[in-house]
Amino acid sequence: MSKHEIIPCERCKARIECKANSYTKCQCSGIQLTLNEVQYIAELYDGCLCIECLYELQKEYQLSVN
């Protein structure tokens, strides 16, 4: 049994294991986002996102500023 909550990614609805209480073990700690990228994503979504969506949104932001 998982010690962490299984939740849907807010963007793609994939099931992800939320490890907010163990951030360094959470999949979202595997991506480095700039402050501007974090702000961009926060304007679009309130909840947890899977790592794939985080990478896609990072790329989307980078393309929008170039």
Side-chain angles (χ1 to χ4, degrees):
M1 182 187 327
S2 174
K3 292 193 281 184
H4 306 284
E5 185 179 7
I6 304 297
I7 60 171
C9 169
E10 187 176 336
R11 183 170 180 254
C12 73
K13 308 301 182 216
R15 294 171 46 89
I16 55 176
E17 186 175 12
C18 180
K19 297 181 182 178
N21 60 342
S22 300
Y23 175 74
T24 58
K25 295 178 183 174
C26 192
Q27 66 169 337
C28 61
S29 68
I31 183 172
Q32 290 188 340
L33 300 169
T34 66
L35 180 57
N36 289 340
E37 291 165 347
V38 170
Q39 290 173 335
Y40 173 76
I41 294 168
E43 289 175 6
L44 300 171
Y45 300 97
D46 293 321
C48 291
L49 300 169
C50 70
I51 193 76
E52 291 84 9
C53 285
L54 289 173
Y55 278 119
E56 288 175 14
L57 290 165
Q58 181 183 47
K59 185 175 183 176
E60 181 179 296
Y61 172 78
Q62 290 171 353
L63 290 171
S64 74
V65 295
N66 289 330

